[in-house]
Amino acid sequence: GEGVPAAQKTSWTTFVKSIVSFSGDLSSLTAPPFILSPISLTEFPAYWCERPALFAAIADAQDEKSRSIAVLKWFISTLKGQYTSRNEKLGSEKKPLNPVLGELFYGYWPDHNGRGQTNLVVEQVSHHPPITAYYISNPTKGLALQGHSAQKTSFSSGSIVVKQIGHAVLTVDLPGGGKEEFLITLPRLRIDGIWYGSPYIELTGLSYIQSSSGWLSTIDYEAKEGRGYFGFSIGAKSHFFKAVLTPPGSTNPAKKYDGLWHETSKDSDTGEVFTDVRTPKEEVTVGPVEQMADFESRKLWQHVARGIREGDYELASREKSKIENEQRQRRKDEQAAGTRWPLKHFEHIESDPVYERLGKLFNATPTTEDTYVFMRNRDFPPATA
Ligand code: 0T9
């Protein structure tokens, strides 16, 4: 394949065969070096806020309908970062580092033009299966996004199909008191280009943003672009989406949008620009590694990451084994002592009342989901490192 270095062709073929016959947790499979990313999955929640001004703008919207439009605009604008940024940065989709239980990632986006500072707290709340919990807040604007992310993977006709497990809830404090909540569900992914060793993500199916005000955004990632001059279907275009916004209790769209989530999209009726993500995004600000605690992602993985970045795979694999052995020992010790690793920032709740209440409004499946509630025990800037 094109993306596979000559020396790693055999090991890529072996790896692809192992994913074909494997179902479950892909993150635990050993992959050939060229496909390894030096970035841990705990860093991924930062993709939610790489356009902090669009996030802050949600709080400036004046009514329920405009707030739902602002949330949809922000959401669509995160997709490019979430699903194509590894291709841009690393040449193709790569296998992220598989976080250890309790791994942490903190960061922020500074205040700028009164948009307020946005803060990020991430914790790996499960290792097997991998589950990442996150909390992103802009206190100045009264905004908080709480969510968790896990995946169920399978293999189908040459592609890896990834069902995203988990959801996010955005809470907006309203100026007159009270709050509005938005339940955000996540699309399915298909990872194509596997045979060629140059994987990339395509989104499939539908995802929803349900507001407690009743407004609902339905985003369709498989919609056809439209019909050509002679009525022939033009077919699905890569990274194309259509979204409709419906008022409380109605299926009649009040707004329609379509376009390419990694470039631009428009209001389907007026042609007015809706999203444009061709402009630079703002990466999260993270403190120096020297000041980090041992379980903070970039400190924990620093030597593995250096090995991967510099092509010293022996170093990478030696350092990775160290971390894994240390983890195994910890789990053994806990079992012997009858204790469990305590989560630092999140509390696990079996069923999320917000998911149940808002999910009902659009017949979400499943009807209930668990959640990880942020314990509000991290200050920005931190009082203690
Ligand atoms: C939440 C995102 C998620 C995490 C990643 C499937 C995947 C792990 C989960 C869903 C973020 O908000 C968005 C983007 C990319 C998703 C990753 C892409 C990917 O390939 C990995 C899986 C576990 C693999 O590493 C598969 C093996 C690899 C060789 C294919 C490139």
Side-chain angles (χ1 to χ4, degrees):
E2 301 162 35
V4 189
Q8 293 177 43
K9 280 205 167 121
T10 323
S11 85
W12 182 246
T13 308
T14 311
F15 177 70
V16 170
K17 282 183 186 156
S18 70
I19 33 186
V20 174
S21 55
F22 187 84
S23 72
D25 180 5
L26 273 184
S27 52
S28 58
L29 288 180
T30 309
F34 82 92
I35 205 73
L36 301 178
S37 153
I39 300 157
S40 159
L41 261 188
T42 55
E43 295 206 20
F44 283 41
Y47 292 131
W48 283 113
C49 223
E50 293 182 324
R51 295 179 188 273
L54 287 181
F55 188 58
I58 295 166
D60 300 331
Q62 292 300 314
D63 54 57
E64 296 174 345
K65 181 183 177 187
S66 345
R67 264 191 299 276
S68 276
I69 295 173
V71 173
L72 178 63
K73 185 187 274 218
W74 156 75
F75 174 84
I76 298 291
S77 302
T78 72
L79 299 178
K80 181 188 183 193
Q82 306 259 18
Y83 303 111
T84 70
S85 61
R86 276 84 52 201
N87 295 66
E88 289 184 0
K89 236 176 141 166
L90 311 167
S92 80
E93 188 61 52
K94 301 252 167 160
K95 188 175 187 289
L97 296 169
N98 187 18
V100 305
L101 176 60
E103 187 172 323
L104 301 162
F105 185 68
Y106 304 118
Y108 66 95
W109 292 264
D111 183 16
H112 188 59
N113 292 335
R115 71 182 186 197
Q117 178 171 311
T118 306
N119 303 317
L120 170 69
V121 178
V122 184
E123 181 168 9
Q124 189 69 14
V125 292
S126 168
H127 175 69
H128 196 81
I131 307 174
T132 310
Y134 52 90
Y135 185 78
I136 301 173
S137 61
N138 180 335
T140 311
K141 292 283 182 180
L143 296 169
L145 180 76
Q146 177 178 279
H148 70 282
S149 163
Q151 299 86 39
K152 236 198 178 106
T153 52
S154 57
F155 201 82
S156 165
S157 37
S159 307
I160 300 174
V161 176
V162 182
K163 182 179 176 348
Q164 294 205 67
I165 315 282
H167 61 273
V169 172
L170 171 68
T171 306
V172 183
D173 295 336
L174 300 177
K179 60 187 177 178
E180 205 163 274
E181 288 163 321
F182 295 82
L183 170 63
I184 301 169
T185 70
L186 306 161
R188 266 173 203 257
L189 333 179
R190 212 180 52 229
I191 307 175
D192 291 330
I194 300 286
W195 298 123
Y196 307 106
S198 44
Y200 66 93
I201 291 174
E202 192 53 84
L203 300 179
T204 71
L206 305 170
S207 78
Y208 301 90
I209 306 176
Q210 174 70 63
S211 169
S212 56
S213 70
W215 288 87
L216 171 68
S217 291
T218 304
I219 305 133
D220 183 347
Y221 303 91
E222 269 169 278
K224 301 288 184 271
E225 168 98 57
R227 303 218 163 253
Y229 281 120
F230 305 104
F232 296 118
S233 166
I234 294 174
K237 200 167 171 182
S238 197
H239 304 341
F240 184 74
F241 78 96
K242 272 187 180 174
V244 295
L245 179 67
T246 46
S250 160
T251 51
N252 229 345
K255 281 280 183 188
K256 293 186 204 157
Y257 304 97
D258 66 87
L260 299 173
W261 49 256
H262 67 309
E263 290 175 359
T264 62
S265 68
K266 61 177 194 321
D267 182 310
S268 313
D269 295 317
T270 66
E272 198 188 324
V273 174
F274 183 52
T275 57
D276 183 350
V277 289
R278 294 169 306 177
T279 53
K281 56 179 192 171
E282 283 176 57
E283 288 201 7
V284 64
T285 303
V286 177
V289 172
E290 302 75 59
Q291 283 172 29
M292 287 181 184
D294 290 345
F295 261 43
E296 287 188 56
S297 191
R298 288 190 189 174
K299 172 136 183 215
L300 179 76
W301 293 106
Q302 62 180 328
H303 304 302
V304 177
R306 181 159 49 87
I308 294 173
R309 286 205 170 95
E310 294 173 0
D312 186 346
Y313 300 119
E314 239 164 86
L315 170 71
S317 119
R318 200 166 55 238
E319 292 294 332
K320 187 164 165 272
S321 297
K322 260 196 218 166
I323 294 172
E324 286 166 353
N325 290 336
E326 203 252 355
Q327 285 292 307
R328 266 190 285 275
Q329 191 56 48
R330 265 181 207 268
R331 299 291 91 83
K332 264 192 207 157
D333 294 346
E334 284 163 9
Q335 204 159 29
T339 58
R340 285 186 77 184
W341 178 266
L343 297 183
K344 200 177 164 104
H345 294 296
F346 294 88
E347 190 193 343
H348 188 216
I349 304 281
E350 273 310 324
S351 98
D352 182 358
V354 184
Y355 181 93
E356 292 194 355
R357 176 161 40 86
L358 298 184
K360 249 186 222 143
L361 301 176
F362 65 100
N363 295 319
T365 47
T367 51
T368 179
E369 260 193 8
D370 64 345
T371 190
Y372 293 85
V373 178
F374 181 56
M375 296 196 274
R376 297 176 184 270
N377 53 356
R378 168 93 184 171
D379 303 322
F380 286 89
T384 50

